Structure formats: C-alpha cells, structure tokens
Amino acid sequence: MEKRLAINGGPRAIPEGTIQPWPPVDAADEEQVLASLRGHQHAFGPNCQAFQEEFAAWNGNRYAITTNSGTAALHMGLVACGCGTGDEVIVPAYSWSSSATCVMQHNCIPVFVDIDFATMNLDVDRLEEAITPRTKAIIVVHLHGLPVNMERVMAIARKHGLKVVEDACQAHGARWRGKKVGTWGDCAAFSCNQNKLLCSGEGGIFVTDDEEMLAKAQSLWSFGESRSPVESRDYHVYAMGWMYRNNDLTAAFGRAQLRKLDGYLEAIRASAAVLTENLQGVPHLILPVEPEGARHNWYNYTLRFDMESLGHVHDASAFRYKLVEAMQAEGVDTGVWQGYILPAMTVFQAKNGYGKGCPWDCPHAAPVDYSLERFPVAQRHCDTHTGMTVPLRPPNGPEVARLTAAAIRKVMENVEELQC
Ligand SMILES: *Cc1c(COP(=O)(O)O)cnc(C)c1O
C-alpha cells in the first residue's frame, strides 16, 4: 500500500462503494410491510400488538409497549418510576441528549455523574455521592452497547430506595453476567431508530415486569387514558398524557427485522473481533474493552486517540477531527458520535427548559451544579473518540472489518503527515 495519505493526495485504502448501508432489507421485510399496508389497520394495529409480544418474549420481559421513539419510552420509564416535579434523576454526563432531556419532560431535575474512561459508562464508584434526599431514580445508559455493572447499580439503588431505568436504546442483546439488558432495572427503553440494531425507521419499546409500572407507562403513552387502544376505551383522561403510540407499518418492519436480530448480533460480534485483532499494535490508539461479565453488542465500536503520545493534549478535539477526516478520506466509515458532554449543552448551562427558570427554579426543586470541571473524564472521552457502526454490520462482513483496520493503521502509522 502506498504510504501517502488519501487526504494528501495518496490512494484511498478502501475503494468507494465497498461499505453497504444498514439495515439489510429483503423479501421478508417487504412482505411483512406490504401485508400491513393491505390490512387497513394503519394506526395501533395487529403488527403493533404482535411486535410487543414478540419483543417481550425475545428480551425476557413480561410486558412491552411499542412507541414512536426510544425517547418516548424513556419518558414513560420516568413516569412509571413515579418521578414528578422537583425530583432528581441521576444520569451519566455523556450520552445521547434525550437520556437527560426526558427527565425535564416531567419537570424533574437531571443530576449528572461523570463517566468511567475504560467503559465510557456512568462511573458506578461516583454514583452514591450524587444521591440526595430528592433523588428518585437513576437512568443507566448501556452506552454503545456495553452493559453497565447492573448488580452494583441495583444494590446501590435498593439501598437508597431508588428506581432504575435502563436506557438500552443502543444495547439490544447486550448482557451483563449472561442476563439481557432491560431485565435488570425496574424498566427499560429501547430505540428502533434507523441506526439502532433493531431498525424500524423510527420507533421504540418500553419494557417492564411490573404490572403497576406498565399501567402508568401505558397511560402516558396514550393520552392519559387508562385503557389501551385494543380495549374498550372510555376516552376519559385520568392523568397527563402524550401520544407516543407506534403505527402498524413501522411495527411490521420492526417485526421482520426482529427475526433477523440474533443473526445480526452474531455477525457484528465476529466483525468486531476481526477489527480488534487487526488493530493490535496500531500506535496512539486506545481500543474498546469488554470487561469480565459484560457481553457487548458492538453497536458502536469506539476508538480513543492517545493524545499524550500524539503530543496533542491541549488541542485534543481539533487534532481528533483531523485524524477522523484523514480516516474518512481513506474510505473509513467513522465519525464523532457526540461532540459535547451533556451538561455542556445550552439547555443545561442556560437552564432554559420551560422558560422562567422552570423546572430548576420550581419551589419543589433544589439547586444543582452543572459546572463543567466536575466532569473531566466525560470531557476527555468526548474530545478524543471516534466511532464506527455500519462497517461492522451486515451485509458488511469480516473483509470490511479487515479493510477498515488497515486504513486506520495507515493513518496512525503516518500521522506525521498531519502534523504541520
Ligand atoms: C438513540 C438513543 C436514544 C433515543 O432514541 P430515539 O428512538 O432516537 O428517540 C436515547 N438514548 C440513547 C443512548 C440513544 O442512543
């Protein structure tokens, strides 16, 4: 391979058109969606009912509710846990925005905890110091598909009488000590957005084993009523409700994809192993880990650059973007997943939720501190990472993983070409 980097005019390491888009769609998906279209039950129809039952069975939960997003399922989780005005909810300082904004949707106050660098997940050692008399629940995020140590989280939660919502939006099929995520906490949220491992376009799933929590979530999900669309409704609104229901076409697509999910998970795991094997010894890279007890689903294979050995500690994020650009020029499908830590986002720094200081200035709330120096680990991760999703997923196979590793190696072994 010629050494000159593609970004400097050299040849691309991965030919254009090599990486195929996610998810694979075949005749089974087409048939299922077409049957829904022809069935004339387009709102909450039979595919929605079946999708709920099939997902609950697949994941090992008693109940599932299909929603129009993972964010809706998270909001339902908070309400199912009994969270309300002024209650504090603990969330990791680095995640997707709605892991934290769902808290404000119910007038609750997000309290951020820094992450652990190795796992990129909430630092369980820092969990207890964030608990106050107002804390009601913890949202644990299994970020990028790596499960959090749920035995420790549940032990801390039970000791302090707190509920736990698992944000499993990226973590379909991930396991902690052999038990699937979404079966550890009091309830959980999955996403079925385009980029997730179970794709239905947009969509989400709320799961729980608790009948009372199911009823609370179901009420929020459908206008604040007490009955689901398949029961005889009285159209009476008992509590504040949203309209978070899924529709039949989307559920039909989700059902067809669910039948292939176990196969996808196996293929992605195999590609991740090939990537890891072929990235051994590449300079300046920190490879992702799978700690003992965890089974990653490799939703996002995330690299960090060692900015100390690169000599770029003080301009880490800028130099990281340069490295990512050089990799993209080689044809690597990689990118910065989230360029801001959560507390740094304007909505939290300016506390501009519902306006006039609400919910933070509500008489039922206590002041919280969003000073950024409290989250140094999240910031370091944020400034030094790049992630990969599609290259590991079918229809792409191990050859794409090998090509990807070779292209990354090319950039990192010729990094002086970028140091001007
Ligand atoms: C995608 C995602 C969500 C939100 O899911 P949507 O279906 O897009 O609403 C929440 N949390 C995490 C960690 C996610 O990755």
Side-chain angles (χ1 to χ4, degrees), residues 95-149:
S95 181
W96 182 247
S97 59
S98 64
S99 305
T101 53
C102 70
V103 174
M104 288 138 59
Q105 281 178 295
H106 230 68
N107 272 314
C108 305
I109 310 293
V111 171
F112 296 105
V113 169
D114 206 358
I115 64 166
D116 164 59
F117 190 77
T119 61
M120 312 174 208
N121 277 325
L122 177 140
D123 185 346
V124 182
D125 288 334
R126 309 290 301 271
L127 193 50
E128 271 191 297
E129 66 196 55
I131 297 171
T132 76
R134 288 170 198 274
T135 310
K136 189 88 182 196
I138 303 164
I139 297 181
V140 287
V141 184
H142 305 296
L143 197 71
H144 301 328
L146 181 68
V148 176
N149 182 333

Side-chain angles (χ1 to χ4, degrees), residues 182-196:
T183 62
W184 285 90
D186 294 287
C187 60
F190 289 86
S191 171
C192 300
N193 162 267
Q194 162 91 55
N195 301 312
K196 310 298 161 112

Side-chain angles (χ1 to χ4, degrees), residues 81-103:
C81 288
C83 298
T85 302
D87 290 339
E88 292 177 5
V89 178
I90 294 174
V91 283
Y94 187 79
S95 181
W96 182 247
S97 59
S98 64
S99 305
T101 53
C102 70
V103 174

Side-chain angles (χ1 to χ4, degrees), residues 102-269:
C102 70
V103 174
M104 288 138 59
Q105 281 178 295
H106 230 68
N107 272 314
C108 305
I109 310 293
V111 171
F112 296 105
V113 169
D114 206 358
I115 64 166
D116 164 59
F117 190 77
T119 61
M120 312 174 208
N121 277 325
L122 177 140
D123 185 346
V124 182
D125 288 334
R126 309 290 301 271
L127 193 50
E128 271 191 297
E129 66 196 55
I131 297 171
T132 76
R134 288 170 198 274
T135 310
K136 189 88 182 196
I138 303 164
I139 297 181
V140 287
V141 184
H142 305 296
L143 197 71
H144 301 328
L146 181 68
V148 176
N149 182 333
M150 288 307 293
E151 281 148 323
R152 286 195 63 202
V153 169
M154 294 314 292
I156 292 167
R158 293 305 177 236
K159 177 177 156 195
H160 294 273
L162 307 178
K163 297 282 192 206
V164 174
V165 181
E166 290 179 75
D167 179 344
C169 284
Q170 303 183 349
H172 313 72
R175 293 165 188 263
W176 176 254
R177 299 228 183 275
K179 191 165 139 59
K180 274 184 179 161
V181 301
T183 62
W184 285 90
D186 294 287
C187 60
F190 289 86
S191 171
C192 300
N193 162 267
Q194 162 91 55
N195 301 312
K196 310 298 161 112
L197 295 188
L198 176 57
C199 162
S200 68
E202 299 283 6
I205 305 163
F206 167 88
V207 294
T208 187
D209 294 341
D210 183 304
E211 203 170 342
E212 213 172 296
M213 292 181 77
L214 174 79
K216 283 184 189 159
Q218 211 163 40
S219 172
L220 188 88
W221 170 73
S222 186
F223 302 112
E225 297 176 19
S226 65
R227 297 174 206 177
S228 85
V230 295
E231 291 163 307
S232 157
R233 289 161 74 185
D234 60 1
Y235 302 102
H236 184 94
V237 175
Y238 293 87
M240 199 144 76
W242 269 252
M243 201 329 224
Y244 280 162
R245 291 178 345 221
N246 199 0
N247 72 88
D248 204 71
L249 276 173
T250 303
F253 186 23
R255 286 182 75 197
Q257 287 288 313
L258 179 59
R259 288 184 204 120
K260 297 180 241 184
L261 182 52
D262 285 328
Y264 290 158
L265 290 168
E266 241 174 79
I268 292 165
R269 188 170 184 81

Side-chain angles (χ1 to χ4, degrees), residues 316-358:
S317 182
F319 192 66
R320 177 268 311 272
Y321 279 112
K322 226 172 175 179
L323 289 165
V324 171
E325 231 180 283
M327 288 178 183
Q328 288 169 343
E330 299 294 341
V332 180
D333 186 345
T334 187
V336 174
W337 178 70
Q338 179 52 269
Y340 298 91
I341 67 168
L342 287 176
M345 295 208 183
T346 303
V347 63
F348 301 112
Q349 286 297 308
K351 295 188 174 163
N352 63 350
Y354 290 99
K356 300 183 180 167
C358 183

